[in-house]
Amino acid sequence: MALWDRLRDSAQTMQTQLQAKKNELKSGAFRDASMAMCALVAAADGQVDPSERQRVASLIATNDVLRNFDSDDLQRRFNDYLSKLTTDFSFGKVSLMQTVGKVHKKPTEARAVIQIGIVIGGADGDFDKTEQALVREVCFAVGIDPAEFDL
């Protein structure tokens, strides 16, 4: 099976898993961590393309789990997090990693945040090495073995 096929299948499986946990994923910490993860993945290579913004906007609009939250609020949070990264990537990354780290003691939320990162990273058909490294780093920040996600 080609890498893209495995990635697509994995993203679909993760989306199904997220939907199964929808009722457990309603906290403010999960909301903030998921948008921080989206911003981190979108800016992983040091720049944010309009297509990456569009992928996140699409995720916000169509993802059943994220429908637990107001879409305008999610978009605003995502844009605020991106602004932190584009102003000073290193400092912004530290701040966003702290935001993501708030789900550390909630394994269901932590795994869901990782899954959202993988779904966003693979949305363009290329979950590149930079995005994978960032998601792996987030795994360590929330206390989850990256091998659980084949990272």
Side-chain angles (χ1 to χ4, degrees):
M1 182 182 291
L3 176 62
W4 166 237
D5 291 334
R6 282 196 324 243
L7 180 61
R8 188 182 64 233
D9 291 347
S10 177
Q12 289 171 345
T13 300
M14 287 182 193
Q15 189 61 36
T16 301
Q17 291 170 349
L18 282 171
Q19 287 174 317
K21 304 274 185 190
K22 180 180 179 179
N23 292 330
E24 298 174 49
L25 302 171
K26 294 183 177 183
S27 77
F30 170 73
R31 176 202 60 214
D32 295 348
S34 62
M35 289 301 98
M37 174 60 108
C38 288
L40 285 164
V41 171
D45 62 0
Q47 60 185 20
V48 182
D49 298 326
S51 64
E52 290 169 316
R53 287 180 182 271
Q54 182 55 43
R55 284 194 320 241
V56 174
S58 177
L59 178 77
I60 289 170
T62 62
N63 184 282
D64 281 343
V65 173
L66 294 179
R67 285 188 185 155
N68 285 334
F69 308 102
D70 177 70
S71 61
D72 290 337
D73 182 47
L74 292 177
Q75 190 67 49
R76 183 188 55 76
R77 288 172 192 279
F78 171 71
N79 289 333
D80 288 349
Y81 292 143
L82 271 184
S83 178
K84 286 183 180 185
L85 292 169
T86 56
T87 300
D88 182 339
F89 185 81
S90 296
F91 185 73
K93 182 179 175 185
V94 168
S95 174
L96 270 61
M97 291 296 279
Q98 290 174 335
T99 299
V100 171
K102 291 179 181 179
V103 297
H104 181 268
K105 293 184 180 181
K106 299 175 182 175
T108 298
E109 291 184 8
R111 282 182 180 79
V113 168
I114 300 299
Q115 290 170 330
I116 285 173
I118 292 169
V119 167
I120 286 294
D124 64 352
D126 181 29
F127 188 36
D128 67 42
K129 298 284 186 205
T130 307
E131 292 166 336
Q132 290 177 33
L134 185 100
V135 174
R136 200 171 19 259
E137 193 175 339
V138 171
C139 284
F140 291 121
V142 297
I144 293 176
D145 183 354
E148 186 176 325
F149 297 96
D150 295 326
L151 296 171

